[in-house]
Every structure is written in structure tokens, then in C-alpha cells.
Amino acid sequence: MFEVNNEHQQEKLFSPVKDLPDRISTKLQSHWSTHFYRHVFTQIDEEKFSVLFHEGYSRPNKPVNELVSLEIIKEMLGLSDEELEHAYIFDFQVRNALGKETMGDNICPKTFTNFRRRLLEYEEETGRDLLHEVFLENRDYLQEEFDIDTSTQRMDSTFIDGNIKQLSRIDLIGKVVHTFLGKLPEGHLDELPAGMATFADEENLELSYTLPPGEVESTLETLVEHAAWLVDRYEDEDAYADLESFSHLERVLDEQCYQLPELEEDGQNKFEDDDDDDSPGWEPVRTFTTEPDESGEDELRTEPLDDETADEIQDRVELRDAEDIDSDSLQNPHDDEATFRRKHTGEHVGYVANFAETCGGENPFRLLTAVRTDTNNTDDGDLLDRDVDDLDELGLTDLLSDGGFTHKEAEAHCREHGITQHFTGIKGTAPPGGTLSLAEFEWDGSELLACAAGHEPLEQSHSEKGRISFRMAKEHCEGCEYRESCRVEEKQQFYSYGFWERKLEIAKRRARLNDPASQEFLNQRAGAESMINEVHHKSGNRAKFTGRIKLKNASTAKAIGTNLKRVSRHLNEDAEPSKTTT
């Protein structure tokens, strides 16, 4: 049963706080825990969390403002659940942050996990992120309370490595097969085709380290055939088909393999010059069933089957080429939402977090204004696009970001809201040296007023799809000082050039990057990396959780905690002069 927590508003008649000497009491007033109570704890709207609790008569819930605050404090201080439990019971600074003046009440660690589970289930069911709403409401409160100018902000993203091991292809498929086999009753293992039960043993998990190089490929193909056999055998038995480990088997096959009979039925052929119209052209598949050898023990047989035997196998599969596997394919069954991304910084498996903060004006401190987390194959522009409406309502007019945030939809969305994007880098390759930039022409928006030599166009056109073209008089182009570097092409009666409007926008951006007058403004984005380090990387680059929603909630809690730390520093610095004068 949901119940609002008002106990913290009731002053205790007797408490250790009242017995503190004046000097210690003054220090407590400037402690982060007191600032937390005033600027975070008391601002949490408990009512919105009532949907997480049963409406009938039952034992009252643990106070929601305490549970939400403890999630924030956990990320602020880098605590484990056990440490958080002890801090709640014994640590006065944590209890002070929750408005408690005395010791004596307890909390069960399962209370933390149950509350997180309710948050997760509610978001999956409704799409509503209650913890993110706390961040937004607290941000708006701080912006108004401290009169923060939010018109100019900077944004940056960072990779967060998943709390999983990066697996090779053979280890991934072996782990998926091993996990499902571990869910089968012992009697089923005895009925499996010869050799398959070998992969139920723990010692066969890290195959890439234990197999001789010459056996990796054949064992990988054998594993794939085992997976196909298991899917075919158990897909109609709900007790097994409903298991998460079974869904991983199906997913691995869909993402890593082709099923040959389907390709044959569709009339597809891997090799166009293959003379055999009845075959996709791959090597004969290898068997997933073997007979005992002379010693009576099963062994994996990896030699190719003859064509007649291969035709008898119904669920034949062939591995895709590595470059044909999508980035959102399963990376590790322990976290089936983590994705793969390759960037200049290396290969990453996990997630991405995106943040924005104020960086202009005479603000007392920098305020985090946006936090967004997703799989790491999500484009930075997509992350920005989801926050444009909210940032516009907050008062954003100028946003500084790197070239990774160039994104047609997000840019259009920003323009709709009157938000100007300022990029400190540009995606793609710059035009070759000596080529005249479109930015050197004179423009009114996308309308050409004059070329670099100052001549007006004969005519110009703008298509609805964003294509721009113009024509120049021959007498102006022939003999022009820019002729060798200009992009115009000679026609019979004129010179012309056509391009997409976005090419003009990119050219203007490159020109602004090289403009000394713009550099001072663009330099404000330099602090974005320290923002990322302060919020995330001080606690390490690897996630402590598995699953996107868990990581997202942790990132949101970190963002709230980071704002509180900044508030606390500001308040203490602001109070410092008065201390020196008294």
C-alpha cells in the first residue's frame, strides 16, 4: 500500500543534532547531505510512484523519497547494495540526507532490488520512465532556484562497456548451446545425438583458447548444427521453447547463419557461376550425429558428409561472413541487449550515454540538462533528437557538439524549435585542397546571390527534395580567376552546377570552423569531456549492471547526483567569504 512520507517534516524533540556544538552544527549546514535533503530529497514527488504499489490494504511501503534518494546516493558514492544498506543504518551523513535525525530503523537489501524491479517492469509496460522524470523535475527546480541561464549548452556522448566478456564467434555459439543444454533434464542429455552432450561440460566453454587452430572452423560448424538440431527438436515444447536460453539459440541461428533449404526454395545461389542449380554452392555440411568410435566413446566427427547423407539432413545451416552480421546481433547471452560498435577508439560492446550541460552566461555552476542512454549502435543524432523538445522548453537556443551529432532529422528538429547547432567537427572527408568552397559564394539562405567572383547567376532552381542548381554566363566563367578551382561544368551555352542543399550547409559549417571569430564561442565545448569524466568515468568505463534499463536508471541517478555535487560546491564557495570576514 502506497503512503506518502511526511515524517521528515516533523521535528524531533530530542535528537543528537540538537546537541551538536555550534561550530559542528554550522559545518553540518554546509555538508553535502544537508544540501541533498533541501535540494533533492524534499523535491521528489512521491505521488507519481504510487502506481508501483498495490492499491489494497497492506503493509505501508518503504518511503519512496527515501528509496529514490538511496538510488542517487548509491551512484554518487559508488556503493554496493550491501554498503548502501550499512550506510542507511549507521552512516549519519546518509541519514541526514534523508531528513533523519536519529538512528534505529532498518532496511532490507531486497527492498532495493524490489523497487528497481518495479521501476523496470512499469517502464517496460507503459514506456514511462519515472526516475528520468525525477531528473527533469529536479533540473527544472535547480534552474529556477539558482537562476541558471540555459540558452547555451554543450553535448557529448560516451561509450559504456557492458558488464560482460567480449566473446569470439565460437565462444558465443558454444556458450548459447551450453546454457540451453544446462536447462535440460539429465534424461534428455542421454537422448541427444552422439557428441552433442560434450558441450554441456564447463570445460568446453572457452573453445577459442583450448582448440588447436586447425579445429576451430570445423568445431564452429558442428556447434551451429547442434544449435539447429536443438531448435528443431524443442521448438514445439513450450516448457523449453519459452526459456530465454532457447530464444538465444534461435537468435544466434538467425543472426549468424543461413538455413540452406530456404535458400534453395527461394532459388537463390551464392555463386552465380555454379553449374549445379540444385545447390547454393557451399561446401557440404558436417554432421551433428556421430557413431561411437572403436573404443566405444563418442567423439565429434568433423569430416564433410557425402552428398547423399547431406541431403537427408533437414536443418542444414551455413555461417554468414563476419561482415554480414549486424551490429545489434547477440554479443553475450548474459546481456542480450548489448550491441557492437567499431569506432576510431577501438571495438566496443555495450551501450552509449549522452549528456548535455549549460556552458554560457554568468551561471553559478554548470547544470546537467539532459541524460540519455541506449545501445552503442545508436547514432548520436538520434539521442539528441529525443531531447530537442524538452531542451527547447528549458530555453536552449545554441547547442555546441562535435561532428558525431550531424543528423538530418535532429538538425531539422532543432531548426523547427529555433535551436542553432554549432559543430566543432564535421563528419566525412573535406573537399580536396584547391577546390573552391560553396561557402565562398554569397548566399541568402539557400538562394545564390553571387559567385565567388561577384557575378549573379543567369538562373537557379530549388527542387522540393532539396536539390539546388544554377547557371552562370559563359563570359563570366571563361577567364575567371577561380575557373580552375570552381565546381561549375561547361555546357554549350552556359556553365552550371547542381548539388544537394545539405552540401551547402556542410560547406558553411566548415567555413565557420576556420573563422577565428567563431573559435572563441566554439571553444566553450572544450569542457564536454570533463563533464563526461565527472558523471561517468570516475567510476570506471564498465557498467556495473546488465540490461539497458538498469544502466539507464544508474546513469540518470548519476546525473542527479552530479547536479547536487555542483550545487553543494557552489553553496559552500558562496558562503566562504562570509566566514573569512567574521
Side-chain angles (χ1 to χ4, degrees), residues 13-68:
L13 185 59
F14 300 103
S15 76
V17 175
K18 290 183 170 57
D19 296 330
L20 291 175
D22 290 343
R23 187 173 180 181
I24 302 300
S25 181
T26 301
K27 286 187 175 182
L28 180 61
Q29 293 307 306
S30 61
H31 193 264
W32 72 262
S33 60
T34 301
H35 298 148
F36 187 101
Y37 172 74
R38 292 173 179 170
H39 299 294
V40 177
F41 182 84
T42 58
Q43 304 305 317
I44 295 171
D45 179 7
E46 291 185 276
E47 292 285 353
K48 68 171 56 195
F49 290 87
S50 62
V51 294
L52 304 181
F53 300 92
H54 195 277
E55 295 181 358
Y57 181 78
S58 61
R59 184 178 179 181
N61 61 286
K62 195 72 175 175
V64 167
N65 49 13
E66 291 187 10
L67 294 176
V68 173

Side-chain angles (χ1 to χ4, degrees), residues 354-373:
N354 189 52
F355 301 93
E357 69 176 2
T358 57
C359 62
E362 299 297 325
N363 289 326
F365 58 88
R366 293 173 286 113
L367 179 69
L368 283 172
T369 58
V371 52
R372 187 71 58 178
T373 308

Side-chain angles (χ1 to χ4, degrees), residues 78 96 136 231 235 273 320 358 380 406 426 437 460 476 547 572:
N96 186 53
L136 295 177
V231 167
E235 63 184 348
D273 58 352
R320 296 179 187 269
T358 57
D380 287 346
T406 53
I426 303 295
S437 169
Q460 58 185 302
H476 293 153
N572 291 341

